[in-house]
Amino acid sequence: MKYIIVGAVAGGASTAARLRRIDEHAEIIIFEKGEHISYANCGLPYYIGNVITNRNALFVQTAASFNKRFNIDVRTLTEVISINRKSKTITAQTQVTGEMYEESYDKLVLSPGAEPIRPQLPGIENQGIFTLRNVADTDYIKSYVQQKVVKKAVVIGAGFIGLEMAENLHALGLDVTIVEMSNQILAPVDFPIAAILQQHIRSKGVNILLNTSVKNFEKKETQLKLSLSNDDVIDADIVILSIGVKPDIKLSVDAGLKIGDSKGIWVNEFLQTSDPNIYAVGDAIEFNNPITNKPMITYLAGPANKQGRICADNLAFGNTQKYKGSINTAIVKVFDMTVAVAGTASKHLHQSKIKHIVSTTISGSHAGYYPNAKPMTIQIAFSPEDGRIFNAQIAGYDGVDKRLDILASIIKKNGKIEELTEFEHAYAPPFSSAKDPVNMAGFAAENILLKKSFIFYWNEIDKISSDDILIDVRTKNEYNAGKTGNAINIPVDEIRNRLSEIPKNKNIFLYCQAGLRGYLAQRILIQNGFHNVLNLSGGYQIWETCNKEINLTKIKVATNELH
Ligand code: FAD
């Protein structure tokens, strides 16, 4: 059997290596238009920021080592420029000489990845404006920063790569501004989780401009001038364009392969394209999202690598393994903070008209009495009908990855809230609490489902009318340090003795710092005959963080977009 693979990084290299492991006698040729194969794209921002100092460490394999270990014919600097499906051949062109030649295949695998979006804005061709996709881009950026006088950087687009670049350029001593068109950073998370990270980034001296886009670039002497949608002009010595990527589908379109609704290469559950002899994996394919059941493109290394393995098995053994889709589990470290997400954010669940409840809990990363416990905010979204979990988002400093991975594996298996409450973890004070933050998220959600707890959200405070009662159940000192709305203060530990101060015929809204004391007060009130008692999910802390961000940026967002 003769296999040809197009693209030799995440999905392509993974497919090739697995193919060889299961078929020692196959002929495998892998084409890569770039100079390098199987390199660590995910490490590139950290090499620019000097966190990774050894450039060679970025190369997981070289063409020579890949050939030696796997006996795979690796053709770098060679672009596949067309596919002739009738004759089952591809045409390749070597970049060095321009020579073109044909190569036949029995089965073809496409893993061409995604390309950064570079909008046709006036002045975008000026020197100093970069995108980051590969090692060559990385080398350009790094040498530009080293050789020119570069003091000010603007990162356009606040996705995962944009934020990593902002941190790494800041680490090099640059004055960094992030320009983001949306009303928040990190599109895959909801506003409150983004707001927590926005505050953290701002605290490090990085400027974030939200609801702002760039209209054009001009070069004045050595500096770039960026005209913004709000008519401001900002200076930059270097610009990183990180506004997103799109699947690289040119080859597939020209070959007449089916392209899906999300403009990715259409594949079936066996990762087979509309041509049974051609398979495709990675950033270029689209696949139904297991939660929304709508076609979606996942731009993540984990799915690309895992698809490579499935694809190789299907090539070698016939279509035996099904790909089940990705829930977009992702994580990013920005300065001291980590944000991670799995599943479909509430704002996107709303768009897909999927009914859900959002609950936010704030727990310590480990036992509070053991040094250095840090707060961790967990937001989950789940079905009001059967408790199926659709989404988890975490912002914190320590142990975020562990909790998110647990939640992701439960979401991936269509797990329900009861799996969070029953989840059994390894506990000792340096690692967790006897009730892990994942359990706590489950307990709060279960209380909501069992109608033992009723919640409202930070962006509904303004809806509380003068006929309602808003009670801050924190201590007097906390209340005096800052309250919301027209809240009166009845600390939770006094509430049993002060029930007579609270009218029974009114709607009662409670809040504390993080949500727990509000819940305790709510249980006391409900069991003393009070009705319509609601507790603020995530407490004052979430309200304060979101409001700080809203006041800073004067953003306006529909209520249901925010939780
Ligand atoms: P790629 O790995 O991009 O490989 C595609 C290859 O195909 C390219 O090398 C390209 O040159 C080659 N090619 C395309 N067309 C042709 C052709 N016609 N002929 C020959 N060769 C061709 N994901 C995460 O999950 N976590 C992270 O932390 C993370 N960080 C990232 C940081 C950066 C800077 C970047 C750019 C990406 C990051 N990603 C991360 C995304 C991840 O790298 C991709 O999802 C993954 O590499 C996709 O694999 P792929 O095989 O589809 O495409």
Side-chain angles (χ1 to χ4, degrees), residues 6-12 31-34 36 39 41-45 78-81 111-114 132-134 161 164 248 251 281-284 298-304 329 331:
V6 181
V9 188
F31 287 92
E32 170 53 56
K33 68 179 173 187
H36 305 282
Y39 60 85
N41 331 43
C42 311
L44 301 179
T78 309
E79 181 172 0
V80 173
I81 53 171
S111 187
L132 176 62
R133 177 183 183 182
N134 51 32
I161 297 173
E164 286 179 350
D248 192 339
L251 205 54
V281 296
D283 286 1
T298 297
Y299 301 109
L300 291 168
T329 305
I331 190 163

Side-chain angles (χ1 to χ4, degrees), residues 204-236:
K204 298 291 176 182
V206 170
N207 189 17
I208 308 175
L209 304 176
L210 296 171
N211 277 345
T212 309
S213 57
V214 175
K215 290 193 297 191
N216 63 59
F217 305 88
E218 247 183 285
K219 192 109 187 186
K220 288 263 167 71
E221 292 162 15
T222 57
Q223 234 181 11
L224 289 156
K225 307 268 174 202
L226 281 65
S227 303
L228 306 180
S229 50
N230 59 9
D231 291 334
D232 283 354
V233 176
I234 55 171
D235 299 334

Side-chain angles (χ1 to χ4, degrees), residues 45-54 168 171:
Y46 300 98
Y47 174 63
I48 292 170
N50 288 339
V51 179
I52 299 169
T53 48
N54 176 7
N168 279 289

Side-chain angles (χ1 to χ4, degrees), residues 489-515:
N489 181 220
I490 307 181
V492 64
D493 293 339
E494 296 174 18
I495 209 160
R496 283 190 186 88
N497 300 325
R498 295 176 60 181
L499 294 177
S500 59
E501 294 174 36
I502 308 170
K504 279 205 162 135
N505 59 344
K506 298 205 168 189
N507 297 320
I508 299 162
F509 293 85
L510 305 171
Y511 72 87
C512 63
Q513 189 63 16

